[in-house]
């Protein structure tokens, strides 16, 4: 497994015009990325357990099929689960995940007041409350030619809440996963190892969609089915990479609690691993591979690596395989300290964001595409 993670990522790789990874990264563009986010916002906040959430799952599946992504499938589970662990109240003076909060803070929380959404049409679209019962989430796979029995998982969560459009949280991460599914599914692209593109549901309720996946699919890893077919419905996991809130890095709140209206020029993509996880060593190697891919392929914004990954769909994987998350800011000490005023708020709508914001998400897509292409040995025919 570590051999795959340590795949060469040298500076010379991109100096050749023939670098297949650079050619793949060039297939991402800002307008397509924005259009995919816009497509997701037609379903409002996509709250789990509603018709608008189910319609969004159907729409995502249609898109994945239209890209030619293989083996489109769904996970089915119940929510709430039969035994739900109560969530202990958290000490908010400390950063979730282990970091240390510094400087100025602004309030955070989940908006539950429909009247705080000024757009009457959007308010009506988000009106149906959640009900318990069956849930689904969709994934598809780029099947590796040399090692179809091993894969990286690239994830984002498609559900949201807060009476907005969940444009940033997590339309921005979901759209990265969908854009990568589109690029890797092109008929002229081959990878040696497999890649699974997963659009988790129920992230906002406690990572329940990702947990259901780990529970149901974990035991099937690496099994050829039917025997002798060369098919592996659940390739062995090599790593899990989550994308959550990828647009907004306007810096620390000011003393009056307001934020800069502009993306800060020094905005960055935050790559986090969890230093207390069982797979911390492999996870940090994976994080540095992504950091290197950012230097090679991201056009505008750099990446930073941090050790406090938390509150993400990578968490159910972190003691099993190397797992990382990509975000606009560190989740614990920055987003947790109020660096994103639209987080779970009625203002998390498409029109809140400028091209400078969307470009940060595009740079995260370039980073993950570059890293995953190297790790899976991607080549392009033409
Ligand atoms: Zn989120």
């Amino acid at each position: 497994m570590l051999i795959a993670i340590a795949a060469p990522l040298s500076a010379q790789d991109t100096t050749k015009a023939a670098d297949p990874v650079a050619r793949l990264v060039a297939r991402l563009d800002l307008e397509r990325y924005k259009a995919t986010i816009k497509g997701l916002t037609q379903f409002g906040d996509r709250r789990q357990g509603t018709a608008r959430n189910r319609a969004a799952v159907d729409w995502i599946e249609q898109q994945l099929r239209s890209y030619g992504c293989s083996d489109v499938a769904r996970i089915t589970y119940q929510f709430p689960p039969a035994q739900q662990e109560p969530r202990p109240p958290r000490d908010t003076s400390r950063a979730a995940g282990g970091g240390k909060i510094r400087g100025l803070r602004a309030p955070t929380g989940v908006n539950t007041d429909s009247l705080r959404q000024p757009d009457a049409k959007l308010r009506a679209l988000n009106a149906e409350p959640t009900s318990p019962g069956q849930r689904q989430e969709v994934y598809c796979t780029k099947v590796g030619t040399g090692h179809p029995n091993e894969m990286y998982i690239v994830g984002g969560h498609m559900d949201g809440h807060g009476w907005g459009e969940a444009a940033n949280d997590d339309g921005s991460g979901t759209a990265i996963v969908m854009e990568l599914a589109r690029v890797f599914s092109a008929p002229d692209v081959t990878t040696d190892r497999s890649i699974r593109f997963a659009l988790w549901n129920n992230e906002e309720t406690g990572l329940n969609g990702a947990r259901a996946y780990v529970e149901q699919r974990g035991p099937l890893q690496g099994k050829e089915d039917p025997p002798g077919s060369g098919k592996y419905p659940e390739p062995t996991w090599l790593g899990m990479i989550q994308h959550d809130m990828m647009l907004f890095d306007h810096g620390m709140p000011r003393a009056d609690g307001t934020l800069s209206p502009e993306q800060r020029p020094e905005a960055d993509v935050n790559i986090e691993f969890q230093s207390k996880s069982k797979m911390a060593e492999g996870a940090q190697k994976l994080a540095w591979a992504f950091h290197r891919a950012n230097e090679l392929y991201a056009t505008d914004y750099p990446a930073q690596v941090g050790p406090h990954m938390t509150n993400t769909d990578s968490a159910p994987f972190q003691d099993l395989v190397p797992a990382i998350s990509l975000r606009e800011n560190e989740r614990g000490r920055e987003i947790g300290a109020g660096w994103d005023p639209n987080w779970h708020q009625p203002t998390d709508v498409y029109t809140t964001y400028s091209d400078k914001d969307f470009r940060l998400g595009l740079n995260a897509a370039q980073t993950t595409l570059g890293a995953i292409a190297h790790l899976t040995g991607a080549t392009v025919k033409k």
Side-chain angles (χ1 to χ4, degrees):
M1 271 186 239
L2 289 180
I3 292 164
I5 286 161
L9 214 62
S10 65
Q12 300 95 289
D13 289 337
T14 52
T15 55
K16 298 177 206 141
D19 175 18
V21 177
R23 287 160 64 209
L24 285 178
V25 173
R27 293 180 178 184
L28 293 168
D29 78 78
L30 187 65
E31 291 311 316
R32 280 206 73 128
Y33 176 57
K34 286 166 63 181
T36 305
I37 295 174
K38 182 90 181 125
L40 288 159
T41 63
Q42 69 186 295
F43 307 100
D45 67 6
R46 305 184 297 284
R47 189 173 181 195
Q48 57 82 31
T50 64
R52 63 189 183 278
N53 175 278
R54 291 187 289 277
V57 175
D58 292 344
W59 183 80
I60 292 167
E61 177 172 336
Q62 282 167 22
Q63 300 303 304
L64 296 176
R65 289 187 188 281
S66 77
Y67 306 150
C69 197
S70 318
D71 301 338
V72 179
R74 291 186 182 206
I75 296 282
T76 301
Y77 59 97
Q78 296 292 318
F79 186 81
Q83 291 165 317
Q84 199 177 11
E85 324 96 72
R87 288 212 250 175
R90 227 183 52 73
D91 172 4
T92 52
S93 67
R94 291 159 180 268
K100 185 169 181 179
I101 290 177
R102 300 183 191 265
L104 303 168
R105 296 184 67 163
T108 59
V110 179
N111 174 55
T112 54
D113 180 1
S114 64
L115 297 177
R116 288 193 52 227
Q117 176 49 257
D119 177 344
K121 222 174 122 192
L122 181 54
R123 207 187 305 144
L125 179 60
N126 286 334
E128 187 203 346
T130 178
S131 349
Q134 183 186 284
R135 303 284 186 271
Q136 289 194 319
E137 61 195 6
V138 65
Y139 62 83
C140 71
T141 309
K142 173 74 178 180
V143 179
T145 49
H147 297 85
N149 56 323
E150 296 178 357
M151 71 173 174
Y152 286 90
I153 304 173
V154 176
H157 74 85
M158 51 70 64
D159 68 309
H161 58 179
W163 292 89
E165 290 176 338
N168 187 26
D169 184 10
D170 187 25
S172 64
T174 299
I176 288 175
V177 178
M178 292 173 69
E179 285 295 283
L180 263 59
R182 175 179 68 78
V183 171
F184 280 109
S185 300
D188 62 345
V189 177
T190 306
T191 59
D192 180 58
R193 290 187 162 78
S194 299
I195 311 166
R196 177 152 293 169
F197 304 96
L199 292 315
W200 315 114
N201 204 343
N202 277 92
E203 191 272 353
E204 301 290 5
T205 51
L207 322 176
N208 308 90
R211 289 187 206 284
Y213 181 94
V214 168
E215 211 171 282
Q216 293 182 27
R217 308 294 303 176
L220 309 176
Q221 284 181 77
K223 291 185 182 154
E224 192 181 32
D225 185 25
S229 65
K231 291 191 189 306
Y232 298 85
E234 192 64 24
T236 300
W237 307 340
L238 300 178
M240 159 68 186
I241 301 97
Q242 175 76 358
H243 304 79
D244 193 358
M245 302 170 71
M246 302 297 337
L247 303 182
F248 193 95
D249 187 358
H250 293 208
M252 185 182 281
R254 299 160 175 150
D256 67 358
T258 62
L259 270 287
S260 165
E262 285 281 323
Q263 190 79 297
R264 56 176 178 156
E266 60 274 20
D268 54 22
V269 175
N270 289 88
I271 302 165
E272 297 183 271
F273 67 97
Q274 178 45 259
S275 58
K276 295 199 175 91
S277 68
K278 286 192 185 142
M279 301 302 282
E281 194 179 330
Q284 68 133 327
K285 280 188 183 151
L286 185 61
W288 288 116
F290 273 63
H291 186 272
R292 183 67 184 138
N294 169 274
E295 289 184 333
L296 291 173
Y297 300 111
T299 46
D300 312 277
Y301 295 109
Q304 298 293 338
V305 171
H308 302 306
M309 182 180 82
T310 185
N311 293 70
T312 174
D313 287 317
S314 275
F317 293 87
Q318 71 182 19
D319 290 332
L320 307 171
V321 291
I324 60 173
S325 74
L326 273 68
R327 292 197 204 243
E328 61 195 13
N329 281 308
E330 287 188 18
R331 169 62 182 79
R333 71 184 181 102
E334 296 177 342
I335 297 174
W339 287 37
D340 189 331
N342 309 305
W343 184 34
H344 301 156
Q345 297 302 311
T347 50
D348 189 5
V349 293
Y350 183 83
T351 51
T352 292
Y353 305 101
S354 74
D355 275 5
K356 286 179 186 165
D357 298 317
F358 288 119
R359 198 166 284 285
L360 182 63
L362 180 73
N363 276 251
Q366 293 166 333
T367 300
T368 296
L369 199 157
I372 289 292
H374 273 278
L375 292 169
T376 61
T379 55
V380 192
K381 233 178 250 154
K382 284 182 253 174

